[in-house]
Amino acid sequence: MNHRWLEWAKQIQAIAQTGLAYTKDVYDRERFEDLRQMSVDILAHYTETDPGKIKLTFASDTGYATPKVDIRGVVFRDGKLLLVREKHDGVWALPGGWADIGLSPSEVAVKEIKEESGFDAKPVRLLAVLDKKFHGHPPEPYHIYKLFIRCDITGGSATTGVETSAVGFFGEDELPVLSVERNTEAQLRTMFEFLRDPDKPVILD
């Protein structure tokens, strides 16, 4: 399905946010505020979401507009992949979440694995840097880069967290229903390719 209106809204919002960060002209500021409101109105019209909520979550950042970064920990045990069931939608994903200020990508992966699955882990290598728009995820108002980092278990035990309701290991032929907002079946199958071929080059969009 073509969501050109969503891409236009995101681009307008990015132009407005960056303009507001750097302009020193009061009239230009008004124009950038109008552009930002236009992006909110587009999303509100097509999604039937309250404009106030959209403005708070989509059009409230300041500074130069940049993509968000989502980091996923890739952990195997006995040839099976670690997944956690998300309380938010009741389906499964690699442990992970937004990058945190002050933490490196590897530190975020280790932290998310611990918080969502209970396992201690150490980072091993970067597997992939993907632009979410190329990989069949549902449309959303953010531009997102996804980092997949291979990690090895060093301790701990399977324990659910604040955001997860179950922890499990799954073979490639027994994947559960996935949270496609977070990861797709194709992406997980690619992770198994890295398991079979440890020398497989990093994937970079």
Side-chain angles (χ1 to χ4, degrees), residues 42-54:
I42 291 171
L43 259 69
H45 174 78
Y46 282 100
T47 65
E48 299 182 352
T49 302
D50 176 63
K53 183 177 180 181
I54 292 174

Side-chain angles (χ1 to χ4, degrees), residues 24 44 55 95 128 171:
K24 309 226 183 265
K55 190 164 188 176

Side-chain angles (χ1 to χ4, degrees), residues 123-154:
V124 176
R125 64 170 293 212
L126 176 68
L127 303 181
V129 179
L130 305 182
D131 188 320
K132 201 171 179 181
K133 69 182 179 183
F134 294 135
H135 295 277
H137 295 277
E140 59 186 308
Y142 306 110
H143 191 167
I144 297 170
Y145 295 160
K146 296 181 66 65
L147 277 62
F148 294 80
I149 299 175
R150 172 73 187 269
C151 298
D152 287 344
I153 292 175
T154 60

Side-chain angles (χ1 to χ4, degrees), residues 45-181:
H45 174 78
Y46 282 100
T47 65
E48 299 182 352
T49 302
D50 176 63
K53 183 177 180 181
I54 292 174
K55 190 164 188 176
L56 181 64
T57 59
F58 170 66
S60 61
D61 283 349
T62 59
Y64 188 87
T66 62
K68 290 181 174 288
V69 179
D70 175 38
I71 296 175
R72 297 285 149 180
V74 180
V75 177
F76 289 99
R77 187 175 70 181
D78 299 326
K80 296 190 174 186
L81 181 62
L82 173 65
L83 298 175
V84 294
R85 187 166 62 202
E86 300 281 348
K87 289 182 180 178
H88 173 72
D89 52 16
V91 285
W92 296 79
L94 295 168
W98 296 126
D100 293 306
I101 300 296
L103 296 182
S104 72
S106 292
E107 288 173 327
V108 172
V110 168
K111 177 181 76 73
E112 293 289 339
I113 291 167
K114 180 64 175 180
E115 291 178 352
E116 296 190 353
S117 75
F119 289 106
D120 300 313
K122 65 177 182 180
V124 176
R125 64 170 293 212
L126 176 68
L127 303 181
V129 179
L130 305 182
D131 188 320
K132 201 171 179 181
K133 69 182 179 183
F134 294 135
H135 295 277
H137 295 277
E140 59 186 308
Y142 306 110
H143 191 167
I144 297 170
Y145 295 160
K146 296 181 66 65
L147 277 62
F148 294 80
I149 299 175
R150 172 73 187 269
C151 298
D152 287 344
I153 292 175
T154 60
S157 60
T159 308
T160 57
V162 174
E163 299 177 350
T164 58
S165 60
V167 178
F169 287 87
F170 299 87
E172 187 173 5
D173 60 350
E174 56 185 16
L175 293 175
V177 179
L178 298 176
S179 176
V180 293
E181 180 182 322

Side-chain angles (χ1 to χ4, degrees), residues 17-30:
Q17 180 177 321
T18 301
L20 287 168
Y22 292 104
T23 186
K24 309 226 183 265
D25 184 276
V26 63
Y27 299 109
D28 282 343
R29 176 165 292 277
E30 288 181 359

